[in-house]
Amino acid sequence: IKVVIDGNKFSDDFSEIEFYEELDSIEGLFHTKNNETNEYTLTMTESAFKELKDIKSKPVKDAYNDIINDAENYVTDIKYDDDFRNVKVYAEKDKVPEEFSDFDATLIKIMGSAMAYQIYTIEGQSVNITVFDAQNEDILKTVSYPVVLE
């Protein structure tokens, strides 16, 4: 499996040393960097790809749990598929902000966490978030990233 990562998509606090240390810990994964294009190419076995995805999914799951466990937040639960492309958010309707926009801080955190994970997948980055009323499962909002950011 080959994954090409645009180095420009990493956050400002990206550490190339930590990145290489993490990659080097995965047996069956090889990496190169093109300094001219700032692209990293990862070539790996199926099992190495699974391990990479397992490692990179943990911070997303932790972020989602933090959102769920924040008593101030409207989110009661978050369900997602394997690559965090389709995310279902269950909300306490009376806690949802009156001005519930596509750029709501909670939705941006959900999207950002998913897209940080998706840097390491071969399918590119996209997240569809559907917010449901936790009581009756009525849809309160649907938003797709990066479409709404364009």
Side-chain angles (χ1 to χ4, degrees):
I1 296 173
K2 181 178 174 180
V3 176
V4 179
I5 301 171
D6 178 352
N8 298 313
K9 291 189 176 184
F10 288 120
S11 64
D12 292 338
D13 62 350
F14 171 72
S15 165
E16 192 169 72
I17 292 169
E18 291 175 10
F19 175 68
Y20 284 137
E21 285 174 354
E22 186 173 65
L23 296 179
D24 290 340
S25 73
I26 301 173
E27 189 174 325
L29 188 149
F30 307 94
H31 53 83
T32 59
K33 179 181 179 185
N34 182 328
N35 288 321
E36 290 179 20
T37 62
N38 198 28
E39 288 182 336
Y40 298 85
T41 301
L42 312 181
T43 307
M44 65 202 99
T45 63
E46 290 276 342
S47 62
F49 187 53
K50 182 186 178 321
E51 185 176 347
L52 177 65
K53 289 171 65 170
D54 288 346
I55 290 168
K56 293 301 178 184
S57 68
K58 185 180 181 329
V60 182
K61 294 173 183 176
D62 290 347
Y64 289 2
N65 283 329
D66 289 347
I67 291 169
I68 293 166
N69 293 321
D70 179 354
E72 303 285 312
N73 206 304
Y74 58 83
V75 176
T76 61
D77 199 9
I78 301 174
K79 305 281 186 197
Y80 44 83
D81 59 9
D82 289 343
D83 284 340
F84 305 98
R85 293 194 187 285
N86 297 294
V87 180
K88 295 178 180 180
V89 176
Y90 295 88
E92 289 183 55
K93 189 174 181 180
D94 59 328
K95 285 189 174 182
V96 173
E98 211 170 293
E99 297 290 322
F100 192 37
S101 80
D102 294 348
F103 300 102
D104 173 75
T106 299
L107 297 182
I108 293 294
K109 185 173 182 180
I110 291 168
M111 174 273 301
S113 298
M115 288 182 130
Y117 166 84
Q118 292 171 359
I119 289 172
Y120 298 92
T121 65
I122 53 180
E123 293 87 17
Q125 295 172 291
S126 66
V127 183
N128 300 306
I129 300 174
T130 305
V131 181
F132 295 92
D133 182 331
Q135 294 297 317
N136 58 24
E137 296 200 18
D138 286 347
I139 295 175
L140 303 177
K141 176 171 271 314
T142 302
V143 62
S144 296
Y145 300 98
V147 174
V148 79
L149 300 175
E150 295 172 350

